[in-house]
């Protein structure tokens, strides 16, 4: 009965409310109806059309130009879980007619359609804000529209930290659902492993909690399973005491790549891995300038600890560019953010393999051949970033209740995850760059398979459209995710009506 009353009230309000949207004629009537119904249900202050400043801000604030170029028919900005519940209940009859929506947090995923949509409805979760620290429970409760910058600002003043994003301007929401890496991953596991409770809204509008005691299968699914089950409105995460750290960026001549690979292998496979250490190795070209950049971090205020001296001792260095120092978690996250700019033609792709110096070298040789194909593209930045998953990280992850990533420290590790990053100026070069990178990923995967060093795993946060991280988690994990989807989203709303992200079926 309540369902029929909701349908009736939405229909009446739709007739009484009129929105003037610049829409594609093919979608004019149904989407205008959806936007009008949502405006009536939520209030006009939370629904924005193409002529509104909030609409313009939202559709020009993504990390990638691929997302900025998509234009929804309206943008909804809920401010609480109840709003999200009303939104989904209101949209449900329109979804039954084939209408679709997108959900955005910080908007950092680079693939087109990840968190925006053409001629549909985009839910901008950045209206859900608020950060609450529970000192007794050692937990921080983070609304899903927050950025890591605000989280670290709050924790810094309290002498606390958490296993969160490494870049301040990245949003909390999608980052956690993709797994996530932090400065503390060797000790704390993946970022998703630190979430002890998700507050979320199911497709039927019901607000639920998912944790180790309540809806446990949903809790595990959300730890790395993406946007396939519900809309998360709050993340409750473990916090810990954290003072200043040591770290920063070190730049080297490109000739040091062989030394870097040996050091990276030794670091990743060290049986006595120092879990306070964290490291990223990047090498490539940016507007004609070639170099190696290491991002080096130590969770204690101890300069140049032994675990990281294998990197800091490599020469020659471009010493004037070094930023190594003792500083706060907050400031290191802001430094990471300064390494990129929003709104450009830029993207990530990813793969991974078992640690091997020979395979690292092969991947670099393949990269250099790929670079030759695109080196004349205007505004080109083209690089590989190698990120180690030592067994300490995988074991820590496995000890925290489980997740969806499908990684077994006794079988899969230690692992090198590779992020392929590219940036360029002109839209007409899209296919040239993208096809070159897809081929490069394929060649690296083939090299790993030939050497029996492939692991299949893909880090969802760095995946691009066309990659399949869910299958990369392994058949067992995928079946569990599909079972959770059938249980909590039996009508497949998040599979069919939310096309962005990486689907289960």
């Amino acid at each position: 009965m309540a369902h029929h009353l909701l349908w009736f009230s939405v229909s009446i309000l739709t007739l009484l409310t009129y929105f003037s949207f610049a829409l594609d004629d093919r979608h004019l009537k149904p989407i205008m109806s959806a936007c009008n119904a949502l405006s009536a249900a939520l209030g006009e202050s939370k629904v924005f059309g193409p002529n509104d400043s909030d609409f313009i801000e939202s559709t020009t604030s993504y990390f990638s130009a691929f997302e900025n170029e998509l234009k929804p028919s309206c943008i909804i900005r809920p401010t609480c879980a109840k709003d999200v519940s009303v939104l989904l209940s209101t949209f449900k009859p329109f979804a039954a007619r084939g209408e679709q929506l997108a959900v955005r947090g910080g908007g950092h995923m680079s693939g087109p359609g990840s968190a925006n949509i053409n001629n549909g409805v985009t839910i901008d979760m950045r209206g859900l804000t608020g950060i609450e620290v529970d000192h007794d429970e050692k937990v921080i409760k983070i609304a899903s529209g927050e950025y890591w910058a605000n989280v670290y600002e709050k924790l810094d003043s309290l002498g606390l930290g958490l296993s969160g994003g490494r870049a301040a301007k990245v949003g909390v929401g999608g980052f956690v659902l993709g797994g996530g890496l932090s400065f503390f991953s060797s000790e704390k596991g993946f970022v998703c492993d630190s979430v002890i409770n998700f507050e979320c809204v199911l497709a039927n509008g019901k607000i639920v909690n998912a944790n180790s005691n309540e809806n446990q299968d949903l809790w595990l699914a959300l730890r790395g399973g993406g946007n396939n089950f519900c809309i998360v409105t709050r993340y409750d995460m473990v916090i810990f005491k954290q003072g200043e750290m040591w770290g920063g960026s070190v730049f080297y001549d490109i000739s040091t790549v062989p030394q870097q690979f040996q050091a990276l292998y030794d670091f990743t496979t060290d049986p006595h891995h120092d879990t306070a250490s964290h490291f990223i190795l990047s090498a490539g070209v940016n507007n004609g300038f070639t170099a190696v950049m290491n991002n080096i971090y130590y969770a204690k205020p101890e300069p140049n600890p032994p675990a990281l001296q294998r990197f800091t001792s490599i020469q020659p260095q471009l010493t004037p560019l070094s930023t190594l120092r003792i500083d706060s978690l907050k400031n290191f996250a802001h430094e990471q953010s300064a390494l990129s700019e929003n709104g450009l033609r830029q993207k990530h792709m990813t793969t991974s393999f078992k640690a091997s110096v020979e395979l690292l070298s092969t991947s670099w040789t393949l990269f250099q051949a790929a670079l030759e194909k695109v080196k004349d593209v205007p505004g080109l930045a083209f690089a590989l970033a190698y990120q180690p998953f030592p067994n300490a990280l995988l074991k820590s992850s496995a000890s925290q209740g489980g997740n969806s990533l499908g990684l077994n420290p006794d079988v899969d590790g230690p692992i090198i995850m590779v992020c392929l990053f590219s940036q360029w100026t002109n839209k007409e070069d899209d296919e040239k760059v993208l096809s070159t990178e897809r081929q490069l990923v394929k060649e690296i995967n083939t090299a790993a398979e030939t050497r029996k060093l492939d692991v299949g795993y893909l880090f969802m946060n760095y995946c691009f459209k066309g990659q399949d991280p869910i299958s990369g988690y392994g058949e067992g994990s995928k079946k569990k995710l599909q079972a959770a989807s059938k249980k909590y989203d039996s009508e497949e709303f998040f599979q069919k009506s939310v096309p962005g992200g990486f689907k289960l079926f």
Side-chain angles (χ1 to χ4, degrees):
M1 181 66 178
H3 174 75
H4 293 294
L5 287 173
L6 175 61
W7 181 288
F8 177 77
S9 63
V10 166
S11 299
I12 294 298
L13 287 168
T14 298
L15 292 173
L16 295 176
T17 308
Y18 179 80
F19 250 41
S20 177
F21 292 109
L23 300 175
D24 186 305
D25 289 342
R26 294 168 299 167
H27 300 268
L28 180 62
K29 292 183 180 179
I31 286 295
M32 183 177 287
S33 297
C35 293
N36 290 346
L38 291 166
S39 177
L42 294 168
E44 294 185 10
S45 64
K46 296 176 182 178
V47 183
F48 307 100
N51 295 323
D52 294 322
S53 59
D54 289 81
F55 182 101
I56 296 169
E57 184 278 330
S58 183
T59 56
T60 58
S61 61
Y62 288 87
F63 170 72
S64 169
F66 298 117
E67 289 281 68
N68 284 339
E69 289 167 355
L70 301 178
K71 299 304 175 189
S73 299
C74 62
I75 288 175
I76 318 299
R77 189 168 286 172
T79 59
C80 61
K82 183 178 179 181
D83 282 352
V84 177
S85 175
V86 171
L87 189 162
L88 290 177
S89 297
T90 303
F91 190 78
K92 190 173 183 179
F94 300 98
R97 290 173 10 196
E99 303 307 323
Q100 295 181 318
L101 55 78
V103 184
R104 80 162 284 179
H108 199 74
M109 287 294 287
S110 60
S114 298
N116 201 6
I117 194 168
N118 262 334
N119 302 314
V121 173
T122 293
I123 305 172
D124 187 341
M125 297 295 287
R126 293 178 300 162
L128 274 82
T129 59
I131 301 168
E132 178 186 345
V133 176
D134 186 329
H135 293 275
D136 293 334
E137 297 296 327
K138 297 181 180 179
V139 169
I140 185 168
K141 299 180 179 181
I142 309 168
S144 62
E146 289 286 0
Y147 288 89
W148 293 111
N150 299 329
V151 176
Y152 294 144
E153 186 70 36
K154 179 83 169 182
L155 292 177
D156 185 67
S157 64
L158 301 171
L160 298 171
L162 90 164
S163 180
R166 296 171 295 187
K169 66 182 178 184
V170 171
V172 172
F175 180 86
V176 175
L177 297 179
L181 288 171
S182 81
F183 296 120
F184 310 102
S185 279
S186 285
E187 181 179 358
K188 307 294 184 180
F190 294 94
V191 172
C192 66
D193 296 321
S194 290
V195 181
I196 60 170
N197 180 70
F198 298 89
E199 177 193 81
C200 57
V201 184
L202 303 179
N204 62 10
K206 185 178 180 180
I207 302 171
V208 302
N209 286 292
N211 51 60
S212 61
N213 298 313
E214 185 179 3
N215 301 311
Q216 184 186 33
D217 49 353
L218 179 59
W219 175 59
L220 294 174
L222 290 169
R223 285 178 153 197
N227 65 348
N228 286 298
F229 314 96
C230 58
I231 296 180
V232 178
T233 52
R234 195 187 73 230
Y235 299 84
D236 301 347
M237 302 182 69
V238 176
I239 52 177
F240 47 84
K241 291 183 179 180
Q242 180 62 45
E244 290 188 318
M245 307 161 54
W246 177 81
S249 300
V250 184
F251 294 82
Y252 308 79
D253 188 87
I254 199 71
S255 64
T256 65
V257 165
Q259 298 175 69
Q260 303 283 354
F261 285 158
Q262 185 64 57
L264 174 60
Y265 175 81
D266 293 342
F267 176 82
T268 308
T269 60
D270 189 343
H272 306 293
H273 181 79
D274 187 338
T275 58
S277 59
H278 186 70
F279 176 78
I280 307 169
L281 163 62
S282 302
V285 60
N286 190 342
N287 284 304
F289 176 70
T290 59
V292 174
M293 178 179 72
N294 288 345
N295 297 118
I296 298 173
Y297 302 99
Y298 199 66
K300 304 171 185 178
E302 300 176 12
N304 203 23
L308 296 169
Q309 289 175 13
R310 52 173 57 95
F311 302 110
T312 58
S313 63
I314 294 175
Q315 297 291 340
Q317 295 182 13
L318 308 178
T319 306
L321 300 177
S322 174
T323 67
L324 290 176
R325 66 202 187 277
I326 292 176
D327 209 335
S328 65
L329 170 60
K330 175 183 73 174
N331 287 341
F332 283 125
H334 279 289
E335 181 182 44
Q336 277 282 318
S337 280
L339 296 174
S340 65
E341 180 182 349
N342 284 351
L344 304 178
R345 307 200 76 75
Q346 56 193 351
K347 49 137 290 297
H348 304 100
M349 288 185 188
T350 187
T351 188
S352 57
F353 48 77
K354 291 187 178 183
S356 160
V357 173
E358 194 268 337
L359 187 49
L360 285 165
S361 299
T362 298
S363 71
W364 181 245
T365 299
L366 294 170
F367 169 81
Q368 290 175 303
L371 177 59
E372 283 297 310
K373 301 175 184 178
V374 294
K375 65 181 181 181
D376 295 327
V377 170
L380 182 72
F382 201 69
L384 294 181
Y386 299 91
Q387 304 189 41
F389 291 5
N391 277 344
L393 185 162
L394 301 179
K395 289 179 179 178
S396 176
S397 176
S399 71
Q400 297 184 60
N403 58 40
S404 298
L405 306 181
L407 291 171
N408 184 333
D410 297 323
V411 176
D412 299 313
I415 293 170
I416 302 292
M417 184 267 286
V418 186
C419 173
L420 296 84
F421 174 77
S422 57
Q423 181 185 102
W424 62 99
T425 302
N426 301 319
K427 188 172 184 176
E428 52 264 32
D429 291 317
D430 286 0
E431 185 53 35
K432 182 176 183 178
V433 177
L434 292 174
S435 62
T436 299
E437 287 218 339
R438 290 190 186 100
Q439 182 61 29
L440 175 56
V441 170
K442 183 178 180 180
E443 290 173 355
I444 293 174
N445 289 341
T446 298
E449 291 165 6
T450 300
R451 294 161 176 79
K452 301 188 183 305
L453 295 172
D454 56 307
V455 293
Y457 170 79
L458 297 177
F459 184 62
M460 184 183 288
N461 301 85
Y462 289 160
C463 282
F464 194 71
K465 190 172 184 177
Q467 296 198 282
D468 184 10
I470 299 296
S471 294
Y473 293 170
E475 184 178 354
S477 181
K478 184 174 182 176
K479 285 183 177 179
K480 290 179 181 179
L481 291 171
Q482 290 174 334
S485 173
K486 291 176 180 178
K487 178 178 178 181
Y488 294 98
D489 183 23
S490 59
E491 297 182 7
E492 298 185 328
F493 177 86
F494 289 100
Q495 300 304 301
K496 297 176 179 179
S497 300
V498 185
F502 304 95
K503 302 291 103 170
L504 301 174
F505 298 96

